[in-house]
Amino acid sequence: MESLNWMIPVSGLLALIVALIVAKNVASKPVGNEKMQQVANAIHSGAKAFLSAQYKILIAFIIVVFLSLGFGLDNWMTAGCFLVGAGFSVLAGYCGMNVATKANVRTTNAAMESGLSKALSVAFSGGAVMGLCVVGLGLFGSALIYILTGNSNILFGFSLGASSVALFARVGGGVYTKAADVGADLVGKVERDIPEDDPRNPATIADNVGDNVGDVAGMGADLFESYVGSIISAITLGTIFFQKTGAMFPLYIAAIGICASIISTFIVKTSKSPDPRKALNTGTYVAGGLVMIGSIILSKIAFDNYKAAVAIIAGLVVGILIGVITEYFTSESYKPVRKIAQQAQTGSATTIISGLAVGMRSTCLPVLLIAGGILISYYVAGLYGVALAAVGMLSTTGTIVAVDAYGPIADNAGGIAEMSKLPESVRKVTDKLDAVGNTTAAIGKGFAIGSAALTALALLISYAQVVQLTSIDLLQPIVIAGLFVGAMLPFLFSALTMESVSNAAHKMVEEVRRQFREIPGILTGETDPDYKTCVAISTSAALREMIIPGILAIAVPLTVGILFGTVALGGMLCGATVTGVLLAIFMSNSGGAWDNAKKYVEGGVNGGKGSDTHKATIVGDTVGDPFKDTSGPSINILIKLMSVVALVFAPIFVKIGGLLM
Amino acid sequence: MESLNWMIPVSGLLALIVALIVAKNVASKPVGNEKMQQVANAIHSGAKAFLSAQYKILIAFIIVVFLSLGFGLDNWMTAGCFLVGAGFSVLAGYCGMNVATKANVRTTNAAMESGLSKALSVAFSGGAVMGLCVVGLGLFGSALIYILTGNSNILFGFSLGASSVALFARVGGGVYTKAADVGADLVGKVERDIPEDDPRNPATIADNVGDNVGDVAGMGADLFESYVGSIISAITLGTIFFQKTGAMFPLYIAAIGICASIISTFIVKTSKSPDPRKALNTGTYVAGGLVMIGSIILSKIAFDNYKAAVAIIAGLVVGILIGVITEYFTSESYKPVRKIAQQAQTGSATTIISGLAVGMRSTCLPVLLIAGGILISYYVAGLYGVALAAVGMLSTTGTIVAVDAYGPIADNAGGIAEMSKLPESVRKVTDKLDAVGNTTAAIGKGFAIGSAALTALALLISYAQVVQLTSIDLLQPIVIAGLFVGAMLPFLFSALTMESVSNAAHKMVEEVRRQFREIPGILTGETDPDYKTCVAISTSAALREMIIPGILAIAVPLTVGILFGTVALGGMLCGATVTGVLLAIFMSNSGGAWDNAKKYVEGGVNGGKGSDTHKATIVGDTVGDPFKDTSGPSINILIKLMSVVALVFAPIFVKIGGLLM
């Protein structure tokens, strides 16, 4: 089978070629009238402004890490792989966001000219480019490095590159989007009573830029990190337990996943279904089904049994089920969200309490599924099996990202329709697309958390193998102490990112109020507000607020490893992973549930728009914003990044680790 | 030294005798005018009604557990100890609450007739009875059983009895108090704009009963459980590692702690300081100092070195420092609370976000302290040292409970002053006492969590020794799976208890609204509202809502132990302890900070009472109510109870555990 190895990077390339074709196809669609183009250009250039400001900091950061890897570890191969990993992640984010900010206005136009199914096709195509870039670059990079060098250790550098960029994209993007969103809502909706996306709101462009920055680029980088991390740990553990075959198997699975994603992309794009949700679901299930079949065949060929396939399928099924559960807890069609909407009738306090309770309760089943997935995959294929479950879950990443990135594009399309004052009917189409996008976003978040959990665990197991830990024994106080400290980190990290949003939103509120006060023509619609200043506030706040959490994520594992040694670090990583997963599920589902409780009331229930109940749900939604879009998702990065840091710097810990012990 | 062993139970008896004298002394104080007595009687009989309703369920529960212990474990000694433990906990709670509901009105009267320092003395005396009963019964019971039988294993039954009652008292009491509080506030303060404790509010008696039920009886049972649990694990581990000397040492420390608590009680009672906080702090520090000195002497005598003393002192210092940190995060004198009050200017959403962030951030230092305490105590005295640290932390429980129970008594005193329409000047004195009580309550909660953490850990270590686990290895998937599931339980438990408060508060709101609607004389002050129905609603809701969390706490460790075996159960207990501690700190500090942010604004800052900022802080406070007084404290019970269940049923797990493995 070795002679077919070239097919793996080629399938990565294939994804990139398809992405290019789809992108060209999106770009060729008509962009609508002048006003629409104007709004779209403002969003596009706002997004670009954020990216270029971010790249400046990122480049400095990358150089520092590159040099410390080179000199510190004396390993320039790893340092080089780090560069490639970081570069590929940036590239994926750039391409994805570039196309997304083109697809938005073209979706609006399609909604205006051709109706729902064409609009869905354009919006989904925009998302598909991001999805295909993520998996294409991820597999191409990791497979090429491994096939050329045969060295799995230097791949950790590639993974660290992906993780570092993900940190910037997720935390920075998360702060950006919610500073703008909360700021826009607090003054616009609450104080001035003007609707969402109203062109009179100075923060509205920043808000729409934020959707792209946070939900497209941030989510893409997050899943790029998981995708790469899971493949690399499977290669590492595969090499240890099953030599070359064990290392190549996950790469082949990923290649099959890419083909499955390409096929499912075309199924969704050409779907004629009047229900966008059905079309998107079909895509996801087709991709999953194809990978299942492929893994069964491949497992038989590679190992002459079906054990590896069972591990792959376990991961895949757990990922899909977590999505289904997430939908239950965050969709307005089910009890939890409706309960929140009902509790909102007694005011904002009960709205908050019930939303927090829903989020906490929603951790139960996903955690049981993850635990079950770990046990099954271990039972059939040992520690390697756990890594395979992660690869299995992430094999359909191309489709998942596409479906997920579709959401903010549809959201933007609605915003552009509103800002360009297009007829009600257009907004109706985009609203329908957007509503589905909300659910897919919540599902995507559930998937991102589940995959982060398995990936972090797979990385952790790899770490234990690399530093040759025979056990991480909870009866050793150093492990329990490490567990406690690690478990605390996601709480601290969440506090920091939430405060970042608070601070940034506060600045935004002041600026929006200032504009309303000082430029009297804005509220009457005679003068355009100064969108650019708001964009600049979000940009600079996002970049500034990113620094402390970033340092934390890298410095803490380094410090613990050096001062307390590899065992303590192992305990710490376990603690961080376990509470990280719980907090992330809790925060993202509470946020999703509040968001949809608001939408449910806006649909006319319990008093409808403008009622006191509605106001209470707006408070819930505002609290949920940093929960679901900043702190929750940032934790995914934290737990993976810390594991990768531990892996990359393992040689140092082994050499000088445990200074204080 | 063995000939002095009788002094240990005698020191327990001594505490009970002092408690009796103090109680008589409290009862002998004048009770004030007729209106005051009327209000006080309503509170007293409401509290009794709750207790007797609770006892009915409790008795059924106790009989079931007693029989399962006897027949299931075939160990009637353990079953008997269970009965004694449960009985003693009930007795402590009954006496404490009985005196507290007498001390409240006498405090009001002292405030009216003799001023601040006399009022402080009465309120503190009321609390001291609870404190002395807790430690007196705890030490008397455990010491007598151990000295008479020399069997440390049957003591687990005593601990289980304490834990079972604690579950009822904490969860039931927590739901009771917050259903009443939230219900009273939502209609009274928010809808009708009448002040706290206004006699026109039908839920106001229930609210005042709740303070006793939740904050006196609940807190007492919680610390009774920790106190007993820590002593019993230290006896168990002491026997294993240092034979008889190791077993008796913690009992002697506890005896010293009781003497220290009695001395400090008299210091506070006779304090002439104009600042109640100073008096209470002096008491705490004197008690701590005495134990430190005693432990140094005793350690030298028993082990001919100071290692055990270091472990004891480590625990004691960690406990006090956690209190100091808790004060920083929840007192209006410091930045965190003021930041929340500032964020409240932009509405309730930002109030909630910043309060959540404060709570999450506040987990950092306590966890580092706990981790440090574990490492130091282990370093000097091995696993036994960790249990000693717990004993050290809890040695001053008598004083801590006294200081803590003082809070709700002062709070009640204020309520009685308001309801009896006493002059403003009286309310001013009780307000001053109450304000200090708020801080001591927050500190007490911090202490309760820290001690629960160490106790749960000590119980966990005992469990591992009893079932002869050589390791709980995180690299074994069954342990990681157990860790995940365990870590999820506090989230689920919190969700359940928060929803309980929601449901019960909802019923209370409806009843209060109904009374205002149907009995027109209430709002004008012509007719008394129907307090009793509100008391009945709180009572029945508290008892009903307790059932599912209660079953969960007992059934889950049993199920995991039987189906997946002792190792998986070990992992699960670690997971539950670690996230339990974090969630409890987070929730109780967020709640405390919101509460004081409201008080800070009421003091005239950022717009003062009645402003929009004030309204936003009320929302924060209402969300914080179940956080800090129901869910957070209930987690303490959960983590200890699950460890005790594991310990008691260890023989079964060893015999038939791991059916599915």
Side-chain angles (χ1 to χ4, degrees):
Chain A
M1 214 165 103
E2 204 159 319
S3 59
L4 297 176
N5 285 354
W6 59 268
M7 281 180 62
I8 298 166
V10 165
S11 70
L13 273 183
L14 181 68
L16 297 175
I17 292 166
V18 175
L20 194 70
I21 295 169
V22 175
K24 289 230 174 252
N25 181 262
V26 168
S28 72
K29 303 281 180 212
V31 291
N33 67 35
E34 201 181 324
K35 181 70 195 163
M36 286 161 69
Q37 286 180 50
Q38 205 183 323
V39 174
N41 282 338
I43 296 174
H44 188 73
S45 60
K48 282 216 165 161
F50 175 69
L51 282 190
S52 61
Q54 196 186 41
Y55 290 161
K56 273 180 208 148
I57 301 185
L58 197 55
I59 286 172
F61 173 85
I62 286 176
I63 291 174
V64 171
V65 178
F66 174 73
L67 293 179
S68 7
L69 287 175
F71 288 112
L73 290 176
D74 196 22
N75 190 334
W76 292 98
M77 288 284 273
T78 298
C81 286
F82 167 77
L83 274 192
V84 179
F88 274 23
S89 179
V90 164
L91 194 62
Y94 182 83
C95 296
M97 205 152 104
N98 198 30
V99 175
T101 53
K102 284 181 181 163
N104 52 11
V105 65
R106 288 164 175 86
T107 302
T108 319
N109 191 63
M112 186 167 66
E113 291 183 349
S114 337
L116 186 77
S117 73
K118 274 278 188 288
L120 166 68
S121 170
V122 177
F124 179 76
S125 297
V129 173
M130 180 86 216
L132 292 170
C133 285
V134 163
V135 293
L137 288 166
L139 185 59
F140 180 71
S142 48
L144 209 62
I145 292 174
Y146 181 67
I147 292 174
L148 290 182
T149 68
N151 181 345
S152 65
N153 283 337
I154 60 167
L155 275 174
F156 303 149
F158 188 77
S159 194
L160 182 63
S163 288
S164 306
V165 173
L167 177 77
F168 281 71
R170 235 337 176 190
V171 179
V175 173
Y176 186 110
T177 176
K178 289 305 125 174
D181 190 3
V182 172
D185 284 359
L186 279 178
V187 187
K189 282 196 211 168
V190 180
E191 294 181 8
R192 298 289 173 159
D193 214 18
I194 56 179
E196 177 105 29
D197 289 326
D198 192 290
R200 289 170 295 172
N201 193 329
T204 189
I205 293 287
D207 188 6
N208 277 282
V209 172
D211 291 341
N212 293 293
V213 163
D215 299 347
V216 178
M219 169 64 93
D222 187 347
L223 285 176
F224 185 78
E225 182 193 17
S226 284
Y227 187 73
V228 166
S230 68
I231 291 176
I232 288 173
S233 4
I235 292 178
T236 307
L237 297 171
T239 310
I240 293 172
F241 297 111
F242 299 93
Q243 295 79 42
K244 199 83 188 172
T245 316
M248 293 310 296
F249 180 73
L251 287 169
Y252 274 103
I253 292 289
I256 292 175
I258 283 188
C259 300
S261 293
I262 293 173
I263 294 169
S264 77
T265 301
F266 283 100
I267 291 176
V268 178
K269 254 178 72 70
T270 54
S271 163
K272 296 271 172 283
S273 165
D275 180 1
R277 192 148 116 202
K278 223 176 217 165
L280 296 172
N281 279 348
T282 310
T284 310
Y285 291 134
V286 166
L290 290 174
V291 171
M292 282 190 197
I293 297 168
S295 71
I296 292 172
I297 299 169
L298 210 61
S299 175
K300 179 73 183 165
I301 297 174
F303 302 104
D304 201 22
N305 63 42
Y306 299 107
K307 289 178 179 176
V310 173
I312 294 280
I313 292 171
L316 201 54
V317 170
V318 168
I320 289 172
L321 287 181
I322 289 180
V324 173
I325 293 162
T326 309
E327 183 175 2
Y328 172 75
F329 280 100
T330 58
S331 152
E332 61 177 58
S333 313
Y334 303 100
K335 234 175 93 181
V337 167
R338 294 184 175 190
K339 177 95 191 269
I340 297 175
Q342 182 208 324
Q343 292 279 348
Q345 292 174 285
T346 38
S348 24
T350 39
T351 311
I352 299 293
I353 293 175
S354 59
L356 291 169
V358 164
M360 288 186 171
R361 185 195 273 267
S362 75
T363 59
C364 180
L365 290 178
V367 163
L368 292 180
L369 281 172
I370 291 172
I374 293 170
L375 289 181
I376 291 173
S377 56
Y378 176 78
Y379 182 76
V380 293
L383 292 173
Y384 178 52
V386 179
L388 286 186
V391 171
M393 191 186 271
L394 284 151
S395 57
T396 56
T397 298
T399 309
I400 302 280
V401 172
V403 170
D404 203 71
Y406 146 89
I409 294 173
D411 192 355
N412 256 238
I416 292 170
E418 184 83 29
M419 283 184 274
S420 316
K421 298 174 182 156
L422 297 184
E424 185 81 1
S425 61
V426 179
R427 182 80 208 200
K428 226 170 195 169
V429 174
T430 60
D431 270 358
K432 198 161 179 187
L433 292 176
D434 186 25
V436 175
N438 264 321
T439 312
T440 59
I443 297 174
K445 269 176 204 123
F447 180 86
I449 298 165
S451 68
L454 283 189
T455 303
L457 222 57
L459 290 167
L460 177 67
I461 295 170
S462 306
Y463 159 79
Q465 294 293 333
V466 167
V467 299
Q468 298 186 315
L469 287 182
T470 49
S471 79
I472 305 177
D473 180 8
L474 285 167
L475 293 177
Q476 282 181 34
I478 189 71
V479 174
I480 273 282
L483 191 78
F484 265 102
V485 173
M488 172 269 289
L489 293 174
F491 281 83
L492 182 59
F493 201 75
S494 301
L496 290 173
T497 45
M498 270 161 66
E499 282 166 5
S500 296
V501 172
S502 263
N503 295 340
H506 208 77
K507 288 213 180 75
M508 189 64 82
V509 165
E510 279 168 10
E511 170 62 19
V512 175
R513 281 183 184 159
R514 183 196 67 77
Q515 291 200 21
F516 280 144
R517 198 174 51 234
E518 295 179 6
I519 315 174
I522 294 183
L523 273 174
T524 55
E526 291 158 38
T527 320
D528 270 351
D530 172 12
Y531 300 122
K532 277 199 178 157
T533 312
C534 291
V535 169
I537 286 176
S538 254
T539 302
S540 71
L543 298 175
R544 193 183 50 249
E545 299 289 346
M546 213 172 51
I547 295 171
I548 294 177
I551 291 175
L552 194 72
I554 294 174
V556 172
L558 280 178
T559 312
V560 170
I562 290 173
L563 295 186
F564 300 95
T566 50
V567 179
L569 181 55
M572 193 206 87
L573 294 175
C574 286
T577 303
V578 76
T579 53
V581 170
L582 280 156
L583 264 190
I585 299 175
F586 157 45
M587 298 178 97
S588 102
N589 287 354
S590 280
W594 276 318
D595 190 351
N596 281 326
K598 186 192 70 176
K599 295 228 159 74
Y600 184 59
V601 171
E602 282 172 354
V605 186
N606 300 340
K609 251 186 180 171
S611 64
D612 280 348
T613 308
H614 184 223
K615 277 185 191 136
T617 58
I618 291 178
V619 171
D621 182 38
T622 310
V623 173
D625 273 338
F627 253 51
K628 71 179 198 302
D629 291 322
T630 313
S631 301
S634 296
I635 293 174
N636 297 345
I637 312 295
L638 176 76
I639 61 179
K640 287 177 286 182
L641 180 55
M642 291 203 304
S643 289
V644 174
V645 169
L647 249 179
V648 170
F649 290 94
I652 289 191
F653 304 145
V654 170
K655 209 158 75 192
I656 62 158
L659 290 181
L660 281 188
M661 298 307 287
Chain B
M1 214 163 104
E2 205 159 318
S3 59
L4 297 175
N5 285 355
W6 58 269
M7 282 179 61
I8 298 166
V10 165
S11 69
L13 274 183
L14 182 67
L16 296 175
I17 293 166
V18 175
L20 194 70
I21 297 170
V22 175
K24 289 231 172 249
N25 181 263
V26 168
S28 73
K29 302 284 180 210
V31 291
N33 67 35
E34 201 182 323
K35 180 70 195 164
M36 285 161 70
Q37 288 180 48
Q38 204 183 323
V39 173
N41 282 338
I43 296 174
H44 188 74
S45 60
K48 282 215 166 164
F50 175 70
L51 281 190
S52 61
Q54 196 185 40
Y55 291 161
K56 276 181 208 147
I57 300 186
L58 198 54
I59 287 171
F61 173 84
I62 286 176
I63 291 174
V64 170
V65 177
F66 174 73
L67 293 178
S68 7
L69 288 175
F71 288 111
L73 290 177
D74 196 21
N75 190 335
W76 292 98
M77 288 284 272
T78 298
C81 286
F82 167 77
L83 274 192
V84 179
F88 275 23
S89 179
V90 164
L91 195 61
Y94 182 83
C95 296
M97 207 152 105
N98 199 29
V99 175
T101 54
K102 283 180 181 162
N104 52 12
V105 65
R106 290 163 173 85
T107 302
T108 318
N109 190 63
M112 187 166 66
E113 291 183 349
S114 335
L116 185 76
S117 73
K118 276 279 188 284
L120 167 68
S121 170
V122 178
F124 180 76
S125 298
V129 173
M130 179 88 217
L132 291 169
C133 285
V134 163
V135 293
L137 288 166
L139 185 59
F140 180 72
S142 48
L144 209 61
I145 293 174
Y146 182 66
I147 292 174
L148 290 182
T149 66
N151 180 345
S152 65
N153 283 337
I154 61 168
L155 276 174
F156 303 150
F158 188 77
S159 195
L160 181 64
S163 288
S164 307
V165 174
L167 177 76
F168 280 71
R170 236 338 176 188
V171 179
V175 173
Y176 186 111
T177 178
K178 291 304 125 176
D181 190 4
V182 172
D185 285 359
L186 279 179
V187 187
K189 282 197 212 168
V190 180
E191 293 181 7
R192 297 290 174 157
D193 214 17
I194 55 179
E196 177 105 29
D197 290 325
D198 192 289
R200 291 171 291 173
N201 193 329
T204 189
I205 293 286
D207 188 6
N208 278 282
V209 171
D211 291 341
N212 293 292
V213 163
D215 299 347
V216 178
M219 168 66 91
D222 187 346
L223 285 176
F224 184 79
E225 181 193 18
S226 284
Y227 186 74
V228 167
S230 69
I231 291 176
I232 288 173
S233 5
I235 293 178
T236 308
L237 297 172
T239 310
I240 293 172
F241 296 111
F242 299 94
Q243 293 80 42
K244 198 82 188 172
T245 317
M248 293 310 297
F249 181 73
L251 287 169
Y252 274 103
I253 292 289
I256 292 175
I258 282 189
C259 300
S261 292
I262 293 174
I263 294 170
S264 77
T265 299
F266 284 100
I267 291 177
V268 178
K269 252 178 74 68
T270 55
S271 163
K272 296 271 173 283
S273 165
D275 180 0
R277 192 149 114 200
K278 224 178 215 165
L280 296 172
N281 279 347
T282 310
T284 310
Y285 291 134
V286 166
L290 290 173
V291 171
M292 281 188 197
I293 296 167
S295 70
I296 291 172
I297 299 169
L298 210 62
S299 175
K300 178 73 183 165
I301 297 174
F303 301 105
D304 200 24
N305 63 42
Y306 299 107
K307 289 178 179 176
V310 172
I312 294 280
I313 293 172
L316 201 54
V317 170
V318 168
I320 290 173
L321 287 181
I322 289 180
V324 173
I325 293 162
T326 309
E327 184 176 1
Y328 172 75
F329 280 100
T330 58
S331 153
E332 60 178 59
S333 314
Y334 303 100
K335 235 174 93 180
V337 167
R338 293 185 176 191
K339 176 94 191 267
I340 296 175
Q342 182 207 323
Q343 292 277 347
Q345 293 174 285
T346 36
S348 25
T350 41
T351 311
I352 299 293
I353 293 175
S354 59
L356 292 169
V358 164
M360 287 186 171
R361 185 196 273 266
S362 76
T363 60
C364 180
L365 290 178
V367 163
L368 291 180
L369 281 171
I370 291 173
I374 293 170
L375 289 181
I376 290 172
S377 56
Y378 176 77
Y379 182 75
V380 294
L383 292 173
Y384 179 50
V386 178
L388 286 186
V391 171
M393 191 186 270
L394 284 151
S395 58
T396 57
T397 298
T399 310
I400 302 279
V401 172
V403 169
D404 203 72
Y406 146 90
I409 294 173
D411 191 356
N412 256 239
I416 292 170
E418 183 83 27
M419 282 184 274
S420 316
K421 295 172 184 157
L422 297 185
E424 184 82 1
S425 61
V426 179
R427 180 81 207 200
K428 226 170 196 169
V429 174
T430 59
D431 270 358
K432 198 162 177 189
L433 292 176
D434 186 26
V436 175
N438 264 321
T439 312
T440 59
I443 296 174
K445 268 176 206 123
F447 180 86
I449 297 165
S451 67
L454 282 188
T455 303
L457 223 56
L459 290 167
L460 177 68
I461 295 170
S462 307
Y463 160 78
Q465 294 293 333
V466 168
V467 299
Q468 299 186 314
L469 287 182
T470 49
S471 79
I472 305 177
D473 180 8
L474 285 168
L475 293 177
Q476 282 181 33
I478 188 72
V479 174
I480 272 281
L483 191 79
F484 264 103
V485 172
M488 172 269 289
L489 293 174
F491 281 83
L492 182 59
F493 202 75
S494 301
L496 290 174
T497 46
M498 271 162 64
E499 281 166 6
S500 296
V501 172
S502 261
N503 295 339
H506 208 77
K507 287 213 180 73
M508 189 65 81
V509 165
E510 279 170 9
E511 171 61 19
V512 174
R513 281 184 184 158
R514 183 196 67 77
Q515 290 200 23
F516 280 144
R517 199 175 51 232
E518 295 179 6
I519 315 173
I522 294 183
L523 273 173
T524 57
E526 290 158 38
T527 321
D528 272 349
D530 172 11
Y531 299 122
K532 278 200 178 158
T533 311
C534 291
V535 169
I537 286 176
S538 255
T539 301
S540 70
L543 298 176
R544 193 183 49 248
E545 299 289 347
M546 215 170 50
I547 296 171
I548 294 177
I551 292 175
L552 194 73
I554 295 174
V556 172
L558 280 178
T559 313
V560 170
I562 290 173
L563 294 185
F564 299 97
T566 51
V567 179
L569 181 55
M572 193 206 86
L573 294 174
C574 287
T577 303
V578 77
T579 53
V581 170
L582 280 157
L583 263 190
I585 300 176
F586 156 47
M587 296 179 98
S588 103
N589 288 353
S590 281
W594 276 317
D595 191 351
N596 281 326
K598 185 192 71 178
K599 296 227 158 74
Y600 184 60
V601 171
E602 283 171 355
V605 186
N606 299 341
K609 251 185 177 170
S611 63
D612 279 347
T613 308
H614 184 222
K615 279 187 188 134
T617 59
I618 291 178
V619 171
D621 183 38
T622 311
V623 174
D625 273 338
F627 252 52
K628 73 178 195 303
D629 293 321
T630 314
S631 301
S634 297
I635 293 175
N636 297 345
I637 312 294
L638 175 76
I639 60 179
K640 287 177 286 182
L641 180 56
M642 292 204 303
S643 290
V644 174
V645 169
L647 248 180
V648 171
F649 291 93
I652 290 190
F653 304 145
V654 170
K655 210 158 74 191
I656 61 158
L659 290 182
L660 280 189
M661 299 306 287

